[in-house]
Amino acid sequence: MRKRLLATGLAAALVALHAGPAVTALPLVRRRLRALSGIGRPGTVALTLDDGPDPRSTPAFLRTLARLRIPATFFVLGDMAAKAPGLLRRIREDGHEIGVHGWTHRDHLRMTPGQVYDELARTAELILDTCGVPPIWFRPPYGILSAGSLLATARLGLRPVLWSAWGRDWEADATPGTVLSHLRSGGIRGGATLLLHDSDCTAAPGAWRSALGALTAIAGECERQGLRFARMSNHLP
């Protein structure tokens, strides 16, 4: 009986250790961790785009970002980038920064530390081989970190970062107006890191159009506040 209780207690402790970092996904917790939330320099805003590169949608984002003169940070999925290496290279050539989102969009709580490491290492290697520059930043799928996430990023020299405001642009009923409203609710202000998606590979079909349609209004909002857009590496101290 005693051995069974000890085994149960050990199992519970391991689960708690594995899942503990996931608490940072909770808004109240995340906001207290300014660097993890991407709270950066007071005069800048970081626009980040997840889940690409996607040949169906990412080129439209690149054209709009070029027109608006907005540098962004793309958190890419390895399995998407492997299918479109030329598009991944174009993101870099257009002056944007590229970070690791994962090879797949699997929840790290459902993966072993070894699986997490393999996914992140594989994606980081692909980015380096394709673009010639090693990635610095990592954002976990769903914003959920595990102990395995933190161990992997430490080994790979990646820096985890989440966001301070999101547009909920993955929802089936999202529109440019709702995206802007959600971002304003989270805070379009100096130091903010904004989360949008340049692909619908893990979202409602066509949802990316809501984010694309909101970019001009987001740019105007920041311009009215006297803020400039910056890549993540220029945004965070």
Side-chain angles (χ1 to χ4, degrees):
M1 183 65 177
R2 184 178 181 183
K3 289 183 178 179
R4 187 180 300 170
L5 289 174
L6 287 174
T8 301
L10 178 59
L14 290 174
V15 169
L17 179 64
H18 174 62
V23 72
T24 58
L26 299 173
L28 289 177
V29 176
R30 190 177 70 245
R31 289 177 190 135
R32 293 178 178 273
L33 304 172
R34 293 177 62 83
L36 185 61
S37 295
I39 303 299
R41 303 182 188 281
T44 63
V45 169
L47 176 66
T48 65
L49 296 156
D50 287 8
D51 292 358
D54 190 331
R56 300 171 303 161
S57 51
T58 302
F61 281 85
L62 292 175
R63 290 191 296 270
T64 300
L65 292 173
R67 175 176 61 82
L68 297 172
R69 298 183 180 180
I70 294 177
T73 301
F74 287 75
F75 286 90
V76 303
L77 293 173
D79 65 352
M80 296 290 286
K83 299 170 187 173
L87 185 53
L88 181 68
R89 195 177 299 113
R90 180 185 165 188
I91 292 172
R92 175 68 186 180
E93 292 172 348
D94 279 9
H96 306 292
E97 191 167 20
I98 299 175
V100 173
H101 198 31
W103 189 265
T104 64
H105 206 271
R106 293 177 63 192
D107 182 348
H108 285 191
L109 292 181
R110 299 178 180 273
M111 300 168 66
T112 67
Q115 289 172 326
V116 171
Y117 176 81
D118 288 345
E119 281 219 358
L120 301 195
R122 191 179 176 192
T123 306
E125 182 178 14
L126 175 63
I127 294 170
L128 176 59
D129 290 347
T130 304
C131 301
V133 179
I136 297 171
W137 304 97
F138 162 67
R139 173 177 290 155
Y142 309 104
I144 298 175
L145 290 163
S146 69
S149 311
L150 299 181
L151 289 170
T153 54
R155 287 179 62 188
L156 294 168
L158 297 171
R159 182 174 172 182
V161 65
L162 301 179
W163 59 85
S164 61
W166 63 9
R168 299 186 68 89
D169 52 323
W170 63 87
E171 298 176 337
D173 58 352
T175 67
T178 65
V179 169
L180 183 62
S181 178
H182 284 302
L183 288 174
R184 282 172 171 164
S185 178
I188 301 180
R189 60 174 69 95
T193 289
L194 310 180
L195 167 61
L196 296 175
H197 297 78
D198 63 306
S199 172
D200 61 7
C201 67
T202 64
W208 58 270
R209 291 185 174 86
S210 64
L212 180 67
L215 288 180
T216 299
I218 294 168
E221 183 87 14
C222 291
E223 183 177 2
R224 284 190 291 275
Q225 296 186 45
L227 303 172
R228 64 181 181 86
F229 287 94
R231 302 167 195 86
M232 191 61 66
S233 291
N234 301 121
H235 176 63
L236 284 182

